[in-house]
Each structure stands twice: as structure tokens, then as C-alpha cells.
Amino acid sequence: EALYQAQTQAPSSEAAIQAFEKVGHDHAGTPAAFEALMALGEIYGKKPGAEGQAVDWFKKAESQASTSRERLFARYSLCFAQEKSGKLADALMTLEAARSLGEPLLKSEIALTRARLLARSGKTLEAKQAFEGVIKDFSGTQAAKTAEQWKAMQ
């Protein structure tokens, strides 16, 4: 019920932030706490200059994850927060940790994100190979089409 009340607040309002923090604290170790911490990461991820706080909330969410799929979503979100804060090496490590979970969900997106991060990190040859891998392994998907576009820009 506390999570529902937090979710009904105006998105990113101070009341919503406080409500999500309370759920995360009061219901630690539950799916509700995980959802609340992920919501806080998303709120701070959208606030200019608050990327570091988003990173912290996604790390807390990962620590509260009770399933492999929850860990996958937390790590994937953490990766984007790290990228947004300019920590590309950290984002690549987090993405590898997400990939290592072996969850089939988001597999093509993780491969594409890895290729994109390599390109942004200046690792041109590795990025090209990674984009080619996405094109080959996920032929006919949106990820392959996006990889084709990124590869053409390299």
C-alpha cells in the first residue's frame, strides 16, 4: 500500500521522493522496496546534474533485488546513469555484470549498448566488432538496424 501511495504522487515531486524513500527504508528486502528504489533512480536520472544520485539509488535497488531479473533491470538502469554521468568505464563494467547474469531478456539491448559505449569510449575497432556482432546475432531486429546506423557513423 505504501508503494501505491508513493506512485500516486506527482512524478518527481518532493512528496513522491519522500514517499519512495520511506518505502525503500521501511520495507527493505521486499519487492516494494526494490520498486521504490528504482523509481528514485529514475527520478534523479531525469534531473539535470543529479546523475550521481541516480547512480546511488540504482546501486541500492540492485542490493535489494531478490531475483535475477530484478538485478538485470537494476544493473541496466545503473549502466545508463553511469553513462549519463560520464563514467563510461564504470558503465561498461556494470553492463558486463548485467550480461553475466545470463538473462535472455534485454540480451540484444545489452549487446547494442555495449557496442555504443565502446564507440563513445574511443575504442573504435572493438566497437565496430561489437556492432557487427549485434547485426549478425540479432538479424532482423530493431537492435540490428540501430547497430547498422551506429556502425555507419564510425
Side-chain angles (χ1 to χ4, degrees), residues 1-12 15-16 19-20 23 31-32 35-36 39:
E1 184 176 316
L3 179 61
Y4 173 75
Q5 290 175 354
Q7 291 169 330
T8 60
Q9 301 292 324
S12 74
F20 283 127
V23 172
E35 292 293 330

Side-chain angles (χ1 to χ4, degrees), residues 5-96:
Q5 290 175 354
Q7 291 169 330
T8 60
Q9 301 292 324
S12 74
S13 69
E14 192 56 39
I17 290 170
Q18 290 175 359
F20 283 127
E21 287 177 354
K22 183 170 177 34
V23 172
H25 180 268
D26 293 353
H27 302 280
T30 68
F34 172 78
E35 292 293 330
L37 297 172
M38 289 293 289
L40 286 163
E42 290 172 21
I43 289 169
Y44 284 103
K46 293 176 184 174
K47 286 187 174 192
E51 296 86 3
Q53 288 175 286
V55 166
D56 293 342
W57 287 113
F58 287 130
K59 284 180 178 179
K60 288 177 184 176
E62 181 185 4
S63 75
Q64 294 290 315
S66 59
T67 67
S68 179
R69 186 162 285 182
E70 286 178 350
R71 273 187 290 289
L72 172 69
F73 285 121
R75 288 176 184 174
Y76 193 61
S77 297
L78 174 59
C79 168
F80 280 99
Q82 290 168 323
E83 178 186 14
K84 195 172 180 184
S85 67
K87 298 179 178 178
L88 300 180
D90 289 348
L92 278 163
M93 287 188 341
T94 299
L95 195 64
E96 180 56 34

